[in-house]
Amino acid sequence: MDLLEYQAKELFREIGIPVLPSQRIENPREIKGLLLPYPVVLKSQVRVGGRGRSGGVRFVENTIDAIAAARTIFNLSILGEYPKVLLAEAKYDAERELYLAVVLDYTAKRPVLLGSGRGGMDAEAVMQHMQQVVVNQEFSPFYGRHLAIAMGLQGQLIESVSTIVEKMYQLFVQKDLDLVEINPLGVSSDGKVMALDGKIAVNDDAIERHRDLELLVSKLADAKKPPSSLKTELRRLNWSTKEGNLGIICNDTSLAMATLDLVSEAKGKPCECLILGEDIPTLHPQQLESALEQLTQSKNLKAILVNILGNAAYCEEIATVMGSYLQERVEKKTAIGAMKIPHIILRLGGGNLDFDVDRFPDLSIHAIDNLDNAIERAIALAKLPAKTS
Ligand code: GDP
Ligand code: MN
């Protein structure tokens, strides 16, 4: 489960990683009571990345612009997610941006330090310059320095970056996290470092051991709902089981009920069933993304069956949205390392359309036309662990 940026930064502040003064905004009207001096940066608090590119991070110079920007951000979906909260932060003049992360390498079962001298929004550049150091023995400051030097840093920056890495590592271990990431770590012209963006993935199985994390995660519960002004809300079949491992997405209520029935009859264990809007043939693409995102976050989920009935154009649109969603996941995965991606079984009925699964050799994606076969495969895959690669 990913925390929101402001929550990650609370944990950063506690452990002594430098963060800027900031304030949470739950409504554009609260901007008037902002205590920070302008210029200020307003940031959408959603759990998906790429906010900068999608317009979810805006710099403002005065109250009027800030109110307008806040309104825009509240109504902006990023990969299907709407913010419930914005973070207003002092602006920081970064001369240089670095990328830092601590992740668990699932194969080696060891923490890995990641660092790139080219942090920021250009994921490709970040990746190209990525350095990694496996922490294969008890942690010592040596590991952080080793990373900083591999990143090509010099002088005082080696010390300040390795200190941050050490604190990130402490946090990672203390709270049993899956990921601690800072991108970017801003470096000012006088060499001071500041965590401008933060990401923390909490390990689902470890939450119960950490009261403070439990509390943070509980605040995320209804973070996904779009504002009521937008009529693209996902519907949920009023039925779900905690023990289930198979998520279902359909584009119509009766189709959803029939699918559930068939899955149960075949001894599958559905956990949740989401329905995309019924206003065929216009699909709101963010609904599919949002549905996939929501299901992926559910605890025991292993596989998602997407069962769509529609005309050729509708199915084609679904295929396109699915393709770009998966592409986005792949990019995110290479950027942050290991993450859970469920098996996805796509059944596009009526479209007579081939979804090219070979585009995603590293994911477990299956396009199956025949509904019975699709259900059978989904149930079988749901018994396997979700792919973490
Ligand atoms: P992301 O796109 O979701 O990763 O959002 P970020 O929080 O990383 O913001 C996107 C970009 O905005 C960052 O890469 C920075 O370049 C810039 N940015 C974010 N916060 C600040 C800030 O406080 N000061 C300055 N100067 N730039 C910032
Ligand atoms: Mn970022």
Side-chain angles (χ1 to χ4, degrees):
M1 175 81 79
D2 294 345
L3 297 183
L4 293 168
E5 177 191 9
Y6 81 86
Q7 300 178 317
K9 284 179 169 172
E10 276 169 22
L11 296 174
F12 287 175
R13 195 174 280 122
E14 260 173 42
I15 201 127
I17 294 172
V19 289
L20 293 161
S22 64
Q23 219 174 310
R24 291 178 39 187
I25 302 289
E26 286 177 19
N27 187 303
R29 284 191 303 270
E30 289 174 22
I31 294 280
K32 289 198 183 120
L34 208 60
L35 301 170
L36 302 166
Y38 287 94
V40 160
V41 51
L42 294 176
K43 308 175 80 176
S44 178
Q45 297 298 289
V46 289
R47 273 169 292 175
V48 287
R51 295 169 305 167
R53 256 181 299 147
S54 327
V57 176
R58 287 167 193 248
F59 296 89
V60 287
E61 305 277 345
N62 56 54
T63 311
I64 295 181
D65 291 349
I67 294 173
R71 283 216 182 94
T72 310
I73 299 177
F74 273 115
N75 286 301
L76 178 76
S77 110
I78 297 173
L79 266 183
E81 192 175 328
Y82 292 86
K84 274 276 180 288
V85 176
L86 310 188
L87 187 68
E89 220 177 52
K91 188 170 180 290
Y92 190 74
D93 280 322
E95 193 183 60
R96 193 175 168 190
E97 300 188 332
L98 308 175
Y99 174 99
L100 293 177
V102 183
V103 294
L104 196 64
D105 181 324
Y106 277 89
T107 8
K109 297 241 168 25
R110 296 296 311 171
V112 179
L113 311 179
L114 295 175
S116 172
R118 296 280 297 278
M121 294 193 288
D122 183 350
E124 217 164 284
V126 174
M127 276 314 292
Q128 243 173 27
H129 296 83
M130 193 69 86
Q131 305 295 322
Q132 73 171 48
V133 173
V134 181
V135 182
N136 43 25
Q137 277 168 2
E138 197 173 330
F139 188 85
S140 78
F142 157 79
Y143 284 106
R145 272 200 291 280
H146 183 35
L147 180 74
I149 289 165
M151 287 164 69
L153 305 181
Q154 289 175 337
Q156 188 54 41
L157 207 48
I158 297 179
E159 219 35 55
S160 42
V161 166
S162 59
T163 306
I164 302 239
V165 172
E166 191 173 342
K167 293 193 167 144
M168 290 168 77
Y169 189 84
Q170 274 174 20
L171 196 60
F172 182 82
V173 173
Q174 257 176 35
K175 311 266 183 207
D176 295 308
L177 303 173
D178 280 346
L179 166 80
V180 181
E181 182 191 80
I182 298 178
N183 185 33
L185 180 77
V187 183
S188 66
S189 52
D190 56 351
K192 294 235 165 29
V193 289
M194 187 64 70
L196 298 183
D197 185 16
K199 185 166 166 184
I200 283 179
V202 172
N203 186 299
D204 290 340
D205 300 321
I207 291 182
E208 288 155 26
R209 291 200 293 274
H210 302 280
R211 278 288 299 147
D212 55 338
L213 296 183
E214 230 171 12
L215 213 73
L216 291 180
V217 167
S218 70
K219 289 189 194 156
L220 295 171
D222 64 350
K224 295 267 175 172
K225 282 204 214 107
S228 49
S229 58
L230 292 173
K231 286 208 182 83
T232 55
E233 209 153 338
L234 273 176
R235 285 167 308 123
R236 183 182 306 267
L237 218 53
N238 196 5
W239 168 98
S240 68
T241 49
K242 271 218 157 81
E243 314 76 53
N245 52 16
L246 177 62
I248 297 172
I249 298 173
C250 292
N251 61 324
D252 171 90
T253 313
S254 33
L255 180 64
M257 302 216 290
T259 310
L260 263 177
D261 201 17
L262 288 171
V263 168
S264 307
E265 213 161 273
K267 306 255 181 306
K269 292 191 199 131
C271 58
E272 202 158 329
C273 183
L274 298 177
I275 303 160
L276 309 177
E278 261 167 321
D279 44 355
I280 299 171
T282 26
L283 165 75
H284 299 284
Q286 71 267 33
Q287 282 198 321
L288 177 59
E289 289 171 355
S290 173
L292 290 163
E293 275 292 319
Q294 273 188 38
L295 291 178
T296 302
Q297 302 274 351
S298 16
K299 193 165 178 234
N300 296 320
L301 180 116
K302 298 288 186 302
I304 299 177
L305 170 63
V306 184
N307 183 18
I308 301 293
L309 259 183
N311 59 23
Y314 185 83
C315 287
E316 200 168 321
E317 197 169 356
I318 291 274
T320 310
V321 175
M322 180 66 105
S324 61
Y325 173 81
L326 294 173
Q327 187 60 40
E328 187 91 44
R329 299 302 293 194
V330 170
E331 281 166 19
K332 198 171 156 196
K333 195 177 76 167
T334 35
I336 71 162
M339 67 187 279
K340 173 175 137 187
I341 299 183
H343 308 283
I344 295 180
I345 303 85
L346 176 62
R347 188 254 177 172
L348 290 172
N352 220 352
L353 189 95
D354 278 333
F355 182 81
D356 183 14
V357 294
D358 297 338
R359 274 171 65 200
F360 306 102
D362 295 332
L363 302 184
S364 173
I365 307 299
H366 312 265
I368 301 173
D369 286 346
N370 178 284
L371 181 57
D372 291 328
N373 295 347
I375 287 177
E376 194 180 315
R377 180 75 73 87
I379 293 173
L381 287 167
K383 290 181 185 149
L384 303 174
K387 220 173 155 156
T388 24
S389 56

